[in-house]
Amino acid sequence: MVWYQDGSTLRRPALNTSVAAAAPATAEVSALRDLILRKLTYTLGKAASEARDRDWFMATALAVRDHVVDRFLAQMRDRPAASGKTVYYLSLEFLIGRLLRENISNLGLTEELRAALAELGVTLDQARLAEPDAALGNGGLGRLAACFLESMSSLGIPAFGYGIRYDHGLFRQIIREGWQQEYPEDWLTFGNPWEFARPEIRHRIGFGGEVATENGHDGEPRHRWHPGETVDAVAYDTPVVGWRGKQVNHLRLWRARAPDPMRLDAFNRGDHLGALAEQVRAEAISKVLYPSDDSPAGQELRLRQEYFFTSAALQDLLRRHLRAEPSVANLADHVAIQLNDTHPAIAVAELMRLLVDEHELPWAEAWRITCAALSYTNHTLLPEALETWPVPLMERLLPRHMQIIYRINAEHLDAVRAAHPGDDRLLASVSLIGEDHGRRVRMGQLAFVGSHKVNGVSALHTDLMRQTVFHDLNGLFPGRIVNKTNGVSFRRWLMQCNPGLTALLVDALGPRVLDAPEALAELRALAGDAVFQGRFAAVKRANKEALALRIREQIGVRVDPGALFDVQIKRIHEYKRQLLNVLQTVALYEAMRAQPMRDWTPVVKVFSGKAAPGYHRAKLIIKLACDVARVVNRDPSVRGLLKVAFLPNYNVSAAEVIVPAADLSEQISTAGMEASGTGNMKLALNGALTIGTLDGATVEMAEHIGCEHLFLFGLSAAEVAERRANGWRGETAVAASDCLGEVLDAIGGGVFSPDDHGRYRPLVDSLTAEDWFMVAADFDSYLAAQTRAALLYRDPQAWRREAVLNTAGMGWFSSDRSIAEYAGEIWNVPVAP
Ligand SMILES: *Cc1c(COP(=O)(O)O)cnc(C)c1O
């Protein structure tokens, strides 16, 4: 079979990349070496003797990009064969990370490239580590979008990802004396070798202005929006290479440019700043990613970002459609548009505007097409995180869209009234306009009403959606809500980040495990095999040594690779309960000091994660973790049996080092508050045991792995709801606990903050009062689960068996499985066999 074509040669990649590691063909290695050298010389204008690692990375990436261009162009040229349908995935965030290793691995070029670079006197890691980490996202939602794009390419689904090409991605986190400081991130400083700038692909995006009403030729009124301001969206395309290089899809990111570069008249008058004002205002839209993952920014610039990329995406896909089809009437037969959260929810009104105002379709037909084309993924139930926009802001910025939303709402409420006469509570609940805090457009309701399917991201989250935020809409549109449990790309989160484990799996299960993750289940038969356990443990040990080295280099803390590596890596948020983990750390520290003679399990606590810059409580929790680390790491009386490391600047590249090295995975959110989690999946796949609550997708992990193989603890989602309803107070838990009171006294009394005794008083007080996140409520149960984990770790064979069983149970959590479900049940597109 022909895998891909580059230039005139048809070639087929070696079976696998780093793993099967057949010696690369010398002709190919020389060709690659020469290509890299040509890129270095003629594109970058550097002599090999002068080249730095960054130059080698650039030259290598450009050479690798040449290998995908043919298939990349084929996607643009050829209509998708079987169904004629393309998926458009709209997301304000794509948390991509580095691409070199992913691309060469998926192309089967790793060994060739390693050899080619070696001939040039460069190691693959030198080039690889010089790539900046593309952090165009905050956390789970953006990383999901990146995994999904890769899976769509791997499954041969023609797809475009649409988003914003931010000049500055998520801030760089520096920890100074325990406090988080934010610095701008600069991924584009030295250029981005993966992308193709497309200055000719450009769409006009309007804001403000007025709506004129005319009589159309059919006698119906026609509305024309005359924006007061326009901004151009310019395309930048990045190839998304699927596994084994099958399909190369597009990640098309939009950059905002002013239609006129400057006001020359103002400049000539000497008003140099005024001459550039419009340009600055326009380009602010793609300047920087909003650094908040779970609360809406609520600012006008954010709404401008959302409309900007949504409108560009819809105009773009309509233009593409009309190149192949005579009209927009059959749009929904050829496109499936997925809205990743409510950030692109304005698509409902924008698609209606384009179809009705610009393409002159009757309203009812446009509405049918819109609902058939769109679908929406909900990512959070936190009431404070549900996006709403003030009506006056919408009327000013998007006047025509506001009219359209009013009409959609009027027809929607008429239908509700007809079916449920006199039910004003129901009307208020399902209206697209909320009246609670001034009149606001509810983007979740808008996305729900304008979509044919709405999905949650884990079984529990989808159930809670039906019971809470969308309870009433679910009653009106039964069957519209479906579940699509998240997954992660096994290429990135197993094969690329953990080549040692991948090689072992291929050896034990055969190379088909690389294509068929369900084969992981066959590991169960090997879980008790001492020889296999030993090899599994050796891989883990090597990964832990690599992490230990990184910890020492980054923060100067020495850790024992033989200790239990207990890892919590994710955004810092009260509901994710890093605080609970810190409290247990303090409890363990106090116990070790009180009973130095006991046979303690050595533990390394690894924390990493960023806090939203305005989220003071989260920043205080980082400070507490660092304060505790400082005291514990220096205390000779614990004899190095407990170490605490807060690693700064968590991102995808950091995760790729930490995940393969973890023994214990902390998934300890307040039950009912984590929609899915994907960090939980990455860690278990790499053989970490989970200590966790029954929340998000951890529930399904427990089902697939077997709940006796996780350290489950704590209140269930229903119990949390019940306590909150009954006025729970944390002091009840303190009174019942043997050690929680002491831990809180130590923290609240300044044991870890001698420079500021009162620093943590408010934190501690919130736990004895309402304890909204049930930290005090779950403490004893968590402590007991930690004790079980520490005990099990003392029995290496038993621990290894559990670790193998965890990896064995994770096959279902591949994002390929998630995407195949979206394809079948939401998009109606076939998946290549
Ligand atoms: C996977 C991932 C996340 C999501 O982690 P959760 O534990 O699911 O919150 C966030 N950030 C990065 C960099 C990731 O790789």
Side-chain angles (χ1 to χ4, degrees):
M1 185 202 297
V2 172
W3 285 92
Y4 63 83
Q5 179 167 21
D6 67 79
S8 56
T9 8
L10 289 170
R11 51 188 228 63
R12 169 192 193 120
L15 177 60
N16 176 31
T17 54
S18 48
V19 208
T26 41
E28 262 181 45
V29 172
S30 323
L32 203 47
R33 177 201 61 206
D34 294 347
L35 183 57
I36 293 169
L37 208 50
R38 274 205 305 282
K39 297 289 180 192
L40 185 74
T41 314
Y42 298 105
T43 307
L44 303 176
K46 284 257 173 155
S49 57
E50 301 292 310
R52 302 172 176 217
D53 291 352
R54 185 194 305 130
D55 303 312
W56 287 118
F57 158 67
M58 292 285 286
T60 304
L62 290 168
V64 171
R65 195 179 68 166
D66 279 8
H67 283 249
V68 305
V69 167
D70 289 324
R71 273 151 301 151
F72 189 52
L73 299 183
Q75 190 209 355
M76 288 304 264
R77 201 176 48 233
D78 308 338
R79 293 287 294 171
S83 70
K85 213 169 195 181
T86 301
V87 175
Y88 295 92
Y89 195 85
L90 272 59
S91 180
L92 201 48
E93 304 192 1
F94 287 92
L95 188 50
I96 303 163
R98 293 177 173 136
L99 279 176
L100 180 60
R101 184 163 65 181
E102 174 153 295
N103 286 345
I104 58 177
S105 172
N106 281 1
L107 290 169
L109 279 179
T110 305
E111 293 316 317
E112 282 85 348
L113 187 68
R114 193 192 306 280
L117 283 170
E119 291 187 10
L120 295 163
V122 181
T123 67
L124 181 52
D125 264 2
Q126 258 175 288
R128 183 176 77 77
L129 297 173
E131 178 172 4
D133 183 288
L136 308 184
N138 273 284
L141 175 149
R143 185 53 232 174
L144 185 76
C147 282
F148 276 8
L149 276 192
E150 196 265 1
S151 274
M152 285 188 262
S153 292
S154 294
L155 294 177
I157 297 174
F160 276 69
Y162 279 126
I164 294 181
R165 182 181 177 277
Y166 301 104
D167 292 349
H168 304 285
L170 186 61
F171 64 86
R172 203 155 44 84
Q173 178 195 53
I174 286 183
I175 304 293
R176 186 153 293 143
E177 304 198 331
W179 296 107
Q180 168 177 301
Q181 297 186 342
E182 301 95 33
Y183 289 83
E185 180 282 335
D186 249 339
W187 70 300
L188 293 174
T189 303
F190 297 100
N192 176 1
W194 300 118
E195 71 185 6
F196 293 93
R198 310 280 196 204
E200 75 284 5
I201 302 178
R202 191 179 273 261
H203 301 282
R204 210 49 28 130
I205 314 297
F207 295 99
E210 267 129 51
V211 180
T213 308
E214 312 146 8
N215 264 336
H217 44 77
D218 52 0
E220 286 286 305
R222 293 251 158 244
H223 302 277
R224 282 237 166 256
W225 177 28
H226 302 289
E229 179 192 350
T230 57
V231 175
D232 282 356
V234 181
Y236 287 74
D237 289 343
T238 299
V240 181
V241 181
W243 175 232
R244 299 201 189 278
K246 270 190 227 168
Q247 169 105 14
V248 180
N249 282 327
H250 276 67
L251 171 58
R252 176 162 286 177
L253 301 178
W254 301 102
R255 180 179 189 197
R257 307 293 280 166
D260 299 313
M262 69 166 149
R263 296 270 308 276
L264 207 51
D265 53 342
F267 193 88
N268 289 338
R269 277 201 312 273
D271 180 7
H272 301 148
L273 288 181
L276 296 172
E278 252 173 61
Q279 186 199 22
V280 169
R281 184 173 157 77
E283 296 184 1
I285 292 176
S286 58
K287 193 56 82 183
V288 59
L289 167 77
Y290 271 96
S292 183
D293 61 336
D294 261 312
S295 62
Q299 284 148 8
E300 180 172 336
L301 181 59
R302 171 73 166 204
L303 181 56
R304 286 163 69 87
Q305 287 186 334
E306 295 182 354
Y307 176 65
F308 166 79
F309 97 96
T310 303
S311 175
L314 295 178
Q315 292 185 54
D316 202 54
L317 68 86
L318 278 172
R319 182 194 289 177
R320 228 170 103 68
H321 176 79
L322 289 174
R323 277 212 303 264
E325 299 292 323
S327 87
V328 294
N330 63 349
L331 183 73
D333 300 335
H334 294 286
V335 313
I337 304 167
Q338 188 70 36
L339 310 178
N340 194 24
D341 213 329
T342 53
H343 313 144
I346 192 66
V348 176
E350 174 68 355
L351 188 53
M352 286 299 288
R353 184 187 72 82
L354 292 166
L355 295 177
V356 173
D357 294 0
E358 310 265 323
H359 295 279
E360 311 208 328
L361 246 49
W363 177 274
E365 191 186 351
W367 184 244
R368 189 188 51 73
I369 293 172
T370 295
C371 295
L374 294 179
S375 43
Y376 152 57
T377 304
N378 172 277
H379 282 272
T380 177
L381 306 171
L382 305 179
E384 72 273 20
L386 296 173
E387 265 193 314
T388 61
W389 291 105
V391 167
L393 172 62
M394 291 281 284
E395 279 175 334
R396 177 164 57 76
L397 207 63
L398 300 169
R400 177 61 185 137
H401 299 80
M402 200 59 238
Q403 290 179 342
I404 289 171
I405 290 168
Y406 278 135
R407 175 150 177 202
I408 295 170
N409 200 34
E411 296 190 356
H412 164 56
L413 295 182
D414 280 348
V416 176
R417 244 181 244 110
H420 306 267
D423 193 342
D424 288 347
R425 189 210 60 82
L426 181 64
L427 283 179
S429 148
V430 302
S431 173
L432 307 187
I433 313 285
E435 314 274 349
D436 307 339
H437 309 279
R439 306 189 67 216
R440 301 177 77 96
V441 182
R442 298 158 156 174
M443 303 309 275
Q445 265 87 342
L446 176 64
F448 192 113
V449 169
S451 295
H452 64 285
K453 284 284 188 293
V454 176
N455 77 285
V457 288
S458 71
L460 174 63
H461 167 240
T462 303
D463 274 351
L464 292 173
M465 262 169 73
R466 292 193 184 106
Q467 288 166 32
T468 60
V469 269
F470 294 135
H471 175 268
D472 291 323
L473 281 169
N474 184 48
L476 296 175
F477 301 97
R480 185 167 295 191
I481 296 181
V482 295
N483 176 241
K484 294 286 158 273
T485 299
N486 285 168
V488 297
S489 160
F490 281 22
R491 269 77 59 185
R492 184 174 286 260
W493 295 110
L494 174 62
M495 299 182 206
Q496 294 151 35
C497 75
N498 200 343
L501 180 56
T502 308
L504 176 58
L505 294 173
V506 169
D507 197 50
L509 306 175
R512 78 194 171 85
V513 71
L514 301 174
D515 300 272
E518 58 279 9
L520 285 178
E522 294 161 25
L523 280 181
R524 291 203 176 102
L526 293 168
D529 178 323
V531 175
F532 184 78
Q533 281 181 3
R535 296 174 71 193
F536 198 90
V539 169
K540 183 63 82 180
R541 171 77 189 201
N543 293 334
K544 289 169 73 174
E545 281 169 8
L547 177 58
L549 187 65
R550 186 183 171 97
I551 292 174
R552 215 174 122 197
E553 284 173 0
Q554 272 203 311
I555 59 171
V557 174
R558 269 175 199 275
V559 302
D560 168 13
L564 193 173
F565 278 22
D566 175 351
V567 166
Q568 187 168 22
I569 47 174
K570 47 183 78 244
R571 286 299 285 248
I572 311 294
H573 206 294
E574 286 167 280
Y575 85 78
K576 292 181 183 271
R577 297 201 295 191
Q578 281 90 358
L579 182 55
L580 179 58
N581 190 350
V582 175
L583 297 187
Q584 187 266 331
T585 306
V586 171
L588 181 59
Y589 171 62
E590 291 186 338
M592 283 177 164
R593 294 202 329 154
Q595 301 168 269
M597 301 317 288
R598 255 185 64 186
D599 194 13
W600 295 101
T601 304
V603 173
V604 179
K605 288 273 188 182
V606 178
F607 293 88
S608 200
K610 294 176 182 175
Y615 192 173
H616 301 293
R617 213 7 107 76
K619 289 174 141 178
L620 191 59
I621 291 169
I622 294 177
K623 174 65 175 163
L624 175 61
C626 293
D627 274 350
V628 169
R630 189 176 30 82
V631 171
V632 169
N633 293 346
R634 278 186 197 161
D635 188 336
S637 67
V638 302
R639 293 171 295 140
L641 291 170
L642 175 61
K643 286 285 174 83
V644 184
F646 190 100
L647 293 176
N649 203 37
Y650 182 55
N651 59 15
V652 172
S653 298
E656 287 167 350
V657 178
I658 302 171
V659 163
D663 293 310
L664 190 62
S665 159
E666 298 273 352
Q667 307 301 335
I668 59 176
S669 52
T670 314
M673 299 193 79
E674 184 74 270
S676 163
T678 48
N680 48 359
M681 300 171 191
K682 300 165 194 167
L683 285 153
L685 177 62
N686 284 275
L689 277 60
T690 299
I691 182 166
T693 46
L694 282 173
D695 200 13
T698 304
V699 177
E700 289 150 272
M701 283 169 49
E703 288 165 7
H704 283 261
I705 298 165
C707 59
E708 67 277 23
H709 305 299
L710 290 79
F711 302 104
L712 298 173
F713 72 94
L715 300 172
S716 68
E719 288 164 341
V720 169
E722 193 256 342
R723 292 215 181 183
R724 284 178 178 164
N726 293 324
W728 164 255
R729 306 263 313 164
E731 58 217 4
T732 315
V734 178
S737 171
D738 288 340
C739 68
L740 180 55
E742 246 175 83
V743 168
L744 295 184
D745 286 346
I747 295 171
V751 167
F752 302 96
S753 53
D755 55 325
D756 178 0
H757 285 266
R759 180 177 295 142
Y760 299 115
R761 196 75 256 168
L763 209 53
V764 165
D765 287 345
S766 73
L767 301 187
T768 52
E770 181 191 42
D771 189 26
W772 180 254
F773 297 98
M774 302 287 150
V775 171
D778 275 344
F779 179 81
D780 274 9
S781 161
Y782 177 57
L783 202 66
Q786 280 284 3
T787 305
R788 293 203 299 279
L791 267 180
L792 187 72
Y793 193 75
R794 310 191 66 80
D795 179 348
Q797 256 124 54
W799 184 278
R800 290 168 190 174
R801 178 170 176 276
E802 296 298 309
V804 173
L805 289 173
N806 268 263
T807 300
M810 288 302 293
W812 191 75
F813 295 89
S814 160
S815 46
D816 295 355
R817 188 269 315 152
S818 310
I819 287 298
E821 289 185 9
Y822 277 84
E825 293 165 51
I826 298 181
W827 303 330
N828 191 22
V829 302
V831 171

